[in-house]
Amino acid sequence: MSDPLPKSDIIKLVSALVLLCMAAFSFSSYFQDSKDREPQSYFYDLSEAELFVASKSLFPPIQGMNDEQLDGVRAIVIAPEGECGNPESRKIAYLQKYSPQLKKQMEAIQTALKNQEEKPANIGRGTVQSYTFVSRSDIIEWHTMDSPEATHIVGEWRVKSAGGSYPVICTPDSK
């Protein structure tokens, strides 16, 4: 049996996966054909404590469901494989939002790409991790992505079911 990965390697792996997901979320709308429906993502209204659907290209926090407050955060929703279409099977793995500074930078890059303008300076990996926050949905307590708490939150949903399969991340269009 091989030795488990050192904690520092696990943090690096989780961070790399998060950055990859962020890149996919950030730039997917740029590559979509204008005739296609814009991809959607789950968001969670903190004041209403309720899921809603909005454009995947938005950077949280966004306007929530019921007022002008920026209390809508991205919700990473999971379910057993093949059960994403069943609302009873879905649950929130964790919530995610960005600092105002990072959100502004990401929106500037998105706008530049959309308008085929020169892209602003790249965002450094350390900056992204330090200005990205995650929380559980039951107790809202935000942690920077580069913290041990965030590493635990982001990874704790990856547990095999009694049937031996891992849950999958759901999108509003997944079945």
Side-chain angles (χ1 to χ4, degrees):
M1 186 170 191
S2 63
D3 293 330
L5 288 174
K7 189 173 185 177
S8 62
D9 287 349
I10 292 172
I11 290 172
K12 289 176 188 174
L13 178 62
V14 169
S15 297
L17 289 171
V18 168
L19 290 173
L20 182 61
C21 288
M22 287 175 54
F25 282 134
S26 301
F27 301 112
S28 65
S29 65
Y30 175 73
F31 294 105
Q32 293 292 320
D33 183 10
S34 62
K35 295 178 184 176
D36 291 343
R37 190 175 137 247
E38 187 170 10
Q40 303 290 297
S41 186
Y42 285 112
F43 287 84
Y44 184 78
D45 187 304
L46 294 169
S47 62
E48 294 295 313
E50 192 172 327
L51 280 174
F52 67 100
V53 174
S55 172
K56 192 178 213 178
S57 65
L58 298 174
F59 301 103
I62 64 172
Q63 183 176 337
M65 299 167 54
N66 63 340
D67 55 27
E68 300 292 317
Q69 285 188 328
L70 296 179
D71 59 354
V73 295
R74 189 170 316 280
I76 308 306
V77 176
I78 61 170
E81 191 169 356
E83 292 291 319
C84 284
N86 180 359
E88 311 272 320
S89 297
R90 293 189 301 244
K91 72 176 196 172
I92 299 172
Y94 62 94
L95 304 173
Q96 182 183 50
K97 70 175 184 174
Y98 307 117
S99 71
Q101 301 93 324
L102 181 57
K103 177 179 173 160
K104 185 176 179 179
Q105 275 190 309
M106 293 173 82
E107 289 172 339
I109 291 171
Q110 184 180 55
T111 299
L113 288 171
K114 183 178 180 182
N115 296 333
Q116 297 181 343
E117 299 169 349
E118 187 174 330
K119 189 173 81 168
N122 285 337
I123 302 167
R125 176 184 288 188
T127 302
V128 171
Q129 292 182 9
S130 298
Y131 293 100
T132 301
F133 302 92
V134 297
S135 175
R136 291 178 182 89
S137 61
D138 55 348
I139 301 173
I140 306 298
E141 186 176 313
W142 296 100
H143 302 278
T144 60
M145 187 58 80
D146 56 1
S147 71
E149 295 90 352
T151 301
H152 183 73
I153 290 169
V154 169
E156 67 188 353
W157 64 272
R158 293 183 190 103
V159 177
K160 285 185 180 181
S161 68
S165 64
Y166 289 97
V168 295
I169 295 177
C170 302
T171 64
D173 297 323
S174 56
K175 304 227 180 231

